[in-house]
Amino acid sequence: MLEDLKPIKERSKCKVGRFLDSLEDKDRKLMLGYLADEDFSAESLSAALKSRVQSDMGASVIRHHRQARCACTKLS
């Protein structure tokens, strides 16, 4: 059953990193500011993105990115 098992190719960036790459400069700067703002919780940022841009980015993804525990970290 597992004879042909192959590793899944890792993504080069997490969902937050890919979202940042999709933004124009102005919006990218704003999003980086929101990510750096400790008063903007991961939960509230996730909810705001869901309502504004219909994003499915959850709070845990945002938290991992903020803590540099995501695929983006491996790129640096």
Side-chain angles (χ1 to χ4, degrees), residues 4-42:
D4 296 327
L5 188 68
K6 294 180 181 163
I8 296 173
K9 186 177 178 180
E10 285 189 44
R11 294 185 175 182
S12 58
K13 291 187 179 180
C14 76
K15 191 176 281 193
V16 175
R18 293 190 308 271
F19 180 69
L20 286 167
D21 287 347
S22 74
L23 298 173
E24 294 182 16
D25 286 340
K26 176 186 167 193
D27 288 328
R28 184 179 304 112
K29 288 176 186 175
L30 288 168
M31 183 65 183
L32 288 170
Y34 300 143
L35 287 166
D37 186 349
E38 293 180 14
D39 291 332
F40 216 139
S41 73

Side-chain angles (χ1 to χ4, degrees), residues 50-67:
K50 284 177 186 176
S51 70
R52 181 62 65 95
V53 294
Q54 289 74 44
S55 167
D56 64 348
M57 195 178 322
S60 62
V61 173
I62 293 170
R63 207 173 295 110
H64 280 120
H65 185 83
R66 282 178 164 173
Q67 297 168 351

